[in-house]
Amino acid sequence: MRILHTSDWHLGRSFHRVPLIEAQAAFLDHLVATVREHEVDVVLVAGDVYDRAVPPLSAVELFDDALHRLAAAEVPTVMISGNHDSARRLGVGAGLIERAGIHLRTDPADCATPLVLSDRHGDVAFYGLPYLEPALVKDVLGAGRAGHEAVLGAAMEQVRADLANRPDGTRSVVLAHAFVAGGEPSDSERDITVGGVAAVPAGVFDGVDYVALGHLHGCQTVTERVRYSGSPLAYSFSEAGHRKTMWLIDLGAPGAFAAERVDLPVPRPLARLRGRLDDLVEDPALERHRESWIEATLTDPARPAEPMARLAERFPHTLSLVFEPDRAPEDPRASYAQRLKGRDDQQIAEDFVAHVRGGSAADEQERTVLRGAFDHVRVDDAVREVNR
């Protein structure tokens, strides 16, 4: 069984106000060509098909075109909803669409209802676990508490129970949208922290032959059988060092496994430049970045005149300009952004509590209240976005 694993399309997203719809269309052209060239048996899309719950029309049209082309290729496709998608919207018409070979898995109650395909070695069961917002699905799944590990664990118990009733030798693949411990995040993923915890252990997926993950935007291997395909395009400058690919997975006889990365087209390379303005516009070694999308961090002690105009003359695709004068974080002249760099919302709130109390840190009860408040706001935002 040859599987093409992809995820995090984020159709409709822009990059620093630059529309990416043409680059996303080029990616989908490449995906369909790869399906034909490599004789793929099934395509997996592990969530975040769209960038937001109510996507722009151009993104919906692109998605519609992709579905028609995959259906025309007569290659089954399994898709799950991610934390950026509206599961209910993405799942509209799933029963009808399934007749064309496109299998949308957006309902948590269907986690243990697989798509079963066969090859000469027997059956392969594909289980789609959509993004599981703990506070919203714990009762549906019978999880003991509202945490990522608890709800994913409950879903996987159902998967393993279904698999146990299938013929011996049935191979299994799980699609999931989650932050698995050992994965490396970037700046472009939406925070899914619950109760101060975002990551789940890879062991929660034990018992299946392959886990096709979505959510993190870098292509990476958590374990040999647990992998992220990453996003097909860079959606933040933190991804400047990423090699954007899809996974081509071969499941042979029970136990046989092989994985290969398939490179994706790059619309324009990214470069992160740092230094004083004069050095950036004059250094001949930087000429190789002339056609790249640029994030420039200026370290001049004082803000220079017309920095964006000067940078754009040398690097016409400069998109982001950051000022970070060479000062230690404890320097009182350090910028607010420098002082907060690397700190999450919980830590910033706890620092505020300590500041207004003259240095007395928040106690455990107060930290619990703060975590609960952040969790409540995040879940409320998710519910409001889905119900728009």
Side-chain angles (χ1 to χ4, degrees):
M1 185 75 65
R2 174 158 286 183
I3 300 164
L4 187 63
H5 167 200
T6 179
S7 74
D8 294 274
W9 294 359
H10 288 278
L11 300 180
R13 190 162 184 160
S14 60
F15 185 76
H16 289 266
R17 298 180 299 280
V18 175
L20 292 177
I21 199 72
E22 290 186 5
Q24 291 173 333
F27 152 66
L28 291 171
D29 288 344
H30 187 76
L31 183 148
V32 173
T34 300
V35 166
R36 297 183 183 280
E37 178 185 350
H38 291 274
E39 300 181 339
V40 168
D41 296 305
V42 57
V43 174
L44 309 183
V45 186
D48 283 353
V49 173
Y50 291 121
D51 189 55
R52 56 183 186 266
V54 185
L57 181 59
S58 58
V60 177
E61 291 174 337
L62 188 57
F63 179 61
D64 179 66
D65 179 66
L67 295 187
H68 278 83
R69 295 168 71 186
L70 288 169
E74 298 184 346
V75 175
T77 299
V78 185
M79 296 183 171
I80 61 173
S81 49
N83 60 302
H84 279 249
D85 298 309
S86 165
R88 292 171 63 185
R89 284 189 173 87
L90 188 63
V92 168
L96 287 173
I97 294 172
E98 189 157 358
R99 297 180 186 179
I102 308 296
H103 305 270
L104 295 172
R105 295 291 186 262
T106 63
D107 187 345
D110 293 333
C111 285
T113 304
L115 167 67
V116 180
L117 302 175
S118 300
D119 64 9
R120 61 191 176 90
H121 299 293
D123 291 345
V124 182
F126 293 85
Y127 298 89
L129 279 55
Y131 172 67
L132 302 174
E133 177 58 57
L136 302 181
V137 305
K138 68 181 182 68
D139 294 334
V140 173
L141 295 172
R145 57 188 180 83
H148 286 298
E149 185 175 355
V151 296
L152 272 170
M156 284 302 301
E157 285 180 10
Q158 295 183 16
V159 167
R160 284 187 282 266
D162 179 83
L163 195 55
N165 290 322
R166 296 194 174 273
D168 290 343
T170 298
R171 290 154 293 162
S172 53
V173 174
V174 166
L175 291 78
H177 196 87
F179 185 176
V180 177
E184 183 65 32
S186 64
D187 293 342
S188 55
E189 299 107 6
R190 183 179 293 168
D191 182 30
I192 59 171
T193 300
V194 174
V197 179
V200 301
V204 77
F205 297 108
D206 285 351
V208 297
D209 292 281
Y210 183 64
V211 182
L213 292 174
H215 181 57
L216 299 186
H217 289 180
C219 182
Q220 50 200 297
T221 301
V222 179
T223 71
E224 183 188 24
R225 302 293 182 114
V226 180
R227 298 171 186 252
Y228 284 99
S229 67
S231 60
L233 300 169
Y235 293 122
S236 72
F237 276 103
S238 66
E239 300 167 59
H242 287 188
R243 174 188 164 199
K244 295 300 183 181
T245 60
M246 302 178 286
W247 283 114
L248 197 63
I249 304 296
D250 283 321
L251 288 183
F257 177 87
E260 176 188 349
R261 292 176 72 175
V262 178
D263 287 299
L264 295 172
V266 178
R268 192 178 296 279
L270 309 185
R272 306 182 93 173
L273 308 182
R274 182 183 182 90
R276 299 196 175 193
L277 180 59
D278 287 344
D279 294 334
L280 296 184
V281 299
E282 295 173 6
D283 187 351
L286 299 180
E287 184 61 26
R288 68 185 188 277
H289 298 305
R290 183 172 182 82
E291 297 304 318
S292 301
W293 276 324
I294 299 291
E295 176 191 71
T297 299
L298 300 184
T299 60
D300 302 72
R303 184 172 298 213
E306 300 184 330
M308 182 58 91
R310 292 184 61 194
L311 281 167
E313 186 175 350
R314 174 81 191 276
F315 307 106
H317 304 288
T318 301
L319 300 182
S320 176
L321 182 59
V322 181
F323 293 96
E324 287 188 8
D326 284 329
R327 295 171 184 152
E330 62 273 12
D331 188 322
R333 296 174 298 166
S335 71
Y336 183 66
Q338 281 179 286
R339 295 197 299 273
L340 297 186
K341 190 173 184 179
R343 305 185 70 74
D344 60 27
D345 291 342
Q346 177 82 15
Q347 292 169 320
I348 293 168
E350 291 178 17
D351 288 348
F352 176 75
V353 171
H355 172 73
V356 297
R357 285 207 305 227
S360 178
D363 60 29
E364 183 56 38
Q365 183 177 358
E366 290 167 329
R367 289 196 292 271
T368 299
V369 169
L370 288 170
R371 278 196 298 271
F374 283 122
D375 288 348
H376 175 78
V377 170
R378 186 182 51 77
V379 172
D380 187 61
D381 284 347
V383 172
R384 288 174 182 271
E385 187 171 6
V386 167
N387 292 330
R388 282 172 58 191

CSV table of all heavy atoms in Angstrom, one decimal, residues 53 83 85-86 131 133 136 190 375-388:
chain,number,residue,atom,x,y,z
A,53,ALA,N,-11.8,29.1,10.0
A,53,ALA,CA,-13.1,28.4,10.0
A,53,ALA,C,-14.0,28.8,8.8
A,53,ALA,O,-14.7,28.0,8.2
A,53,ALA,CB,-13.8,28.6,11.3
A,83,ASN,N,-7.2,22.1,13.8
A,83,ASN,CA,-7.7,23.1,14.8
A,83,ASN,C,-8.0,24.5,14.1
A,83,ASN,O,-8.6,25.3,14.7
A,83,ASN,CB,-6.6,23.3,15.9
A,83,ASN,CG,-5.3,23.8,15.4
A,83,ASN,OD1,-4.7,23.1,14.6
A,83,ASN,ND2,-4.8,24.9,15.9
A,85,ASP,N,-9.6,24.5,11.1
A,85,ASP,CA,-10.8,24.2,10.3
A,85,ASP,C,-12.0,24.3,11.2
A,85,ASP,O,-12.0,24.0,12.4
A,85,ASP,CB,-10.7,22.8,9.7
A,85,ASP,CG,-9.6,22.6,8.7
A,85,ASP,OD1,-9.4,23.4,7.8
A,85,ASP,OD2,-8.8,21.6,8.9
A,86,SER,N,-13.2,24.6,10.6
A,86,SER,CA,-14.5,24.3,11.2
A,86,SER,C,-14.8,22.9,10.8
A,86,SER,O,-15.1,22.6,9.6
A,86,SER,CB,-15.5,25.3,10.7
A,86,SER,OG,-16.8,24.8,11.0
A,131,TYR,N,-9.0,17.0,14.8
A,131,TYR,CA,-8.5,17.7,16.0
A,131,TYR,C,-9.5,17.6,17.1
A,131,TYR,O,-10.7,17.9,16.9
A,131,TYR,CB,-8.2,19.2,15.6
A,131,TYR,CG,-7.9,20.0,16.9
A,131,TYR,CD1,-6.7,19.7,17.6
A,131,TYR,CD2,-8.8,20.9,17.4
A,131,TYR,CE1,-6.4,20.4,18.7
A,131,TYR,CE2,-8.5,21.6,18.6
A,131,TYR,CZ,-7.3,21.4,19.2
A,131,TYR,OH,-7.0,22.0,20.4
A,133,GLU,N,-10.6,19.0,20.5
A,133,GLU,CA,-10.5,20.1,21.5
A,133,GLU,C,-11.0,19.4,22.8
A,133,GLU,O,-12.2,19.1,22.9
A,133,GLU,CB,-11.4,21.2,21.0
A,133,GLU,CG,-11.5,22.3,22.0
A,133,GLU,CD,-10.1,22.9,22.4
A,133,GLU,OE1,-9.4,23.4,21.4
A,133,GLU,OE2,-9.8,22.9,23.6
A,136,LEU,N,-14.4,20.1,24.5
A,136,LEU,CA,-15.6,19.9,23.7
A,136,LEU,C,-15.9,18.5,23.4
A,136,LEU,O,-17.0,18.1,23.0
A,136,LEU,CB,-15.4,20.7,22.4
A,136,LEU,CG,-15.2,22.2,22.5
A,136,LEU,CD1,-15.1,22.8,21.1
A,136,LEU,CD2,-16.3,22.9,23.3
A,190,ARG,N,-1.0,27.6,15.6
A,190,ARG,CA,-1.8,28.2,16.7
A,190,ARG,C,-1.6,27.4,17.9
A,190,ARG,O,-1.6,26.2,17.9
A,190,ARG,CB,-3.3,28.2,16.2
A,190,ARG,CG,-4.3,28.8,17.2
A,190,ARG,CD,-5.7,28.7,16.7
A,190,ARG,NE,-5.8,29.6,15.5
A,190,ARG,CZ,-6.9,29.5,14.7
A,190,ARG,NH1,-7.9,28.7,14.9
A,190,ARG,NH2,-7.0,30.3,13.6
A,375,ASP,N,-7.4,28.9,29.3
A,375,ASP,CA,-8.0,27.8,28.7
A,375,ASP,C,-9.5,28.2,28.3
A,375,ASP,O,-9.9,27.9,27.2
A,375,ASP,CB,-8.1,26.6,29.6
A,375,ASP,CG,-6.7,25.9,29.8
A,375,ASP,OD1,-5.8,26.3,29.0
A,375,ASP,OD2,-6.6,25.1,30.6
A,376,HIS,N,-10.2,28.9,29.2
A,376,HIS,CA,-11.6,29.3,28.9
A,376,HIS,C,-11.6,30.2,27.7
A,376,HIS,O,-12.5,30.0,26.9
A,376,HIS,CB,-12.1,29.9,30.2
A,376,HIS,CG,-13.5,30.5,29.9
A,376,HIS,ND1,-14.6,29.7,30.0
A,376,HIS,CD2,-14.0,31.7,29.7
A,376,HIS,CE1,-15.7,30.4,29.7
A,376,HIS,NE2,-15.3,31.7,29.5
A,377,VAL,N,-10.8,31.2,27.7
A,377,VAL,CA,-10.8,32.1,26.6
A,377,VAL,C,-10.5,31.4,25.2
A,377,VAL,O,-11.1,31.7,24.2
A,377,VAL,CB,-9.8,33.3,26.8
A,377,VAL,CG1,-9.6,34.1,25.6
A,377,VAL,CG2,-10.2,34.1,28.0
A,378,ARG,N,-9.5,30.5,25.3
A,378,ARG,CA,-9.1,29.8,24.0
A,378,ARG,C,-10.3,29.0,23.5
A,378,ARG,O,-10.6,28.9,22.3
A,378,ARG,CB,-7.9,29.0,24.3
A,378,ARG,CG,-7.3,28.3,23.0
A,378,ARG,CD,-6.1,27.4,23.3
A,378,ARG,NE,-6.4,26.5,24.4
A,378,ARG,CZ,-7.2,25.4,24.2
A,378,ARG,NH1,-7.7,25.1,23.1
A,378,ARG,NH2,-7.4,24.6,25.3
A,379,VAL,N,-10.9,28.2,24.4
A,379,VAL,CA,-12.0,27.3,24.0
A,379,VAL,C,-13.2,28.2,23.5
A,379,VAL,O,-13.8,27.9,22.5
A,379,VAL,CB,-12.4,26.4,25.2
A,379,VAL,CG1,-13.7,25.7,24.8
A,379,VAL,CG2,-11.3,25.4,25.5
A,380,ASP,N,-13.5,29.3,24.3
A,380,ASP,CA,-14.6,30.2,23.9
A,380,ASP,C,-14.3,30.8,22.5
A,380,ASP,O,-15.2,30.8,21.7
A,380,ASP,CB,-14.7,31.3,24.9
A,380,ASP,CG,-15.9,32.2,24.6
A,380,ASP,OD1,-17.1,31.6,24.6
A,380,ASP,OD2,-15.8,33.4,24.4
A,381,ASP,N,-13.1,31.1,22.2
A,381,ASP,CA,-12.7,31.7,20.9
A,381,ASP,C,-13.0,30.6,19.8
A,381,ASP,O,-13.5,30.9,18.7
A,381,ASP,CB,-11.3,32.1,20.8
A,381,ASP,CG,-11.0,33.4,21.5
A,381,ASP,OD1,-12.1,34.1,21.8
A,381,ASP,OD2,-9.9,33.8,21.8
A,382,ALA,N,-12.6,29.3,20.1
A,382,ALA,CA,-12.8,28.3,19.2
A,382,ALA,C,-14.2,28.0,18.9
A,382,ALA,O,-14.6,27.8,17.7
A,382,ALA,CB,-12.1,27.0,19.7
A,383,VAL,N,-15.0,28.0,19.9
A,383,VAL,CA,-16.5,27.8,19.7
A,383,VAL,C,-17.1,28.9,18.9
A,383,VAL,O,-17.9,28.7,18.0
A,383,VAL,CB,-17.2,27.7,21.1
A,383,VAL,CG1,-18.7,27.7,20.9
A,383,VAL,CG2,-16.7,26.4,21.8
A,384,ARG,N,-16.7,30.2,19.2
A,384,ARG,CA,-17.3,31.3,18.5
A,384,ARG,C,-16.9,31.3,17.0
A,384,ARG,O,-17.7,31.6,16.2
A,384,ARG,CB,-16.8,32.6,19.1
A,384,ARG,CG,-17.4,32.9,20.5
A,384,ARG,CD,-16.7,34.2,21.1
A,384,ARG,NE,-17.3,34.5,22.4
A,384,ARG,CZ,-18.3,35.3,22.6
A,384,ARG,NH1,-19.0,35.8,21.6
A,384,ARG,NH2,-18.7,35.5,23.9
A,385,GLU,N,-15.6,30.9,16.8
A,385,GLU,CA,-15.2,30.9,15.4
A,385,GLU,C,-16.0,29.8,14.6
A,385,GLU,O,-16.4,30.0,13.4
A,385,GLU,CB,-13.7,30.6,15.3
A,385,GLU,CG,-13.1,30.7,13.9
A,385,GLU,CD,-11.6,30.7,13.8
A,385,GLU,OE1,-11.0,30.4,14.9
A,385,GLU,OE2,-11.1,30.9,12.8
A,386,VAL,N,-16.2,28.6,15.2
A,386,VAL,CA,-16.9,27.6,14.5
A,386,VAL,C,-18.3,27.9,14.2
A,386,VAL,O,-18.9,27.6,13.2
A,386,VAL,CB,-16.8,26.3,15.3
A,386,VAL,CG1,-17.8,25.2,14.8
A,386,VAL,CG2,-15.4,25.7,15.3
A,387,ASN,N,-18.9,28.7,15.2
A,387,ASN,CA,-20.4,29.0,15.1
A,387,ASN,C,-20.7,30.3,14.4
A,387,ASN,O,-21.8,30.7,14.3
A,387,ASN,CB,-21.0,29.1,16.5
A,387,ASN,CG,-21.0,27.7,17.2
A,387,ASN,OD1,-21.1,26.7,16.5
A,387,ASN,ND2,-20.9,27.7,18.5
A,388,ARG,N,-19.6,30.9,13.8
A,388,ARG,CA,-19.9,32.2,13.1
A,388,ARG,C,-20.8,32.0,11.9
A,388,ARG,O,-20.7,30.9,11.2
A,388,ARG,CB,-18.5,32.7,12.6
A,388,ARG,CG,-17.7,33.4,13.6
A,388,ARG,CD,-16.3,33.8,13.1
A,388,ARG,NE,-16.4,34.7,12.0
A,388,ARG,CZ,-15.4,35.0,11.2
A,388,ARG,NH1,-14.2,34.5,11.5
A,388,ARG,NH2,-15.5,35.7,10.2
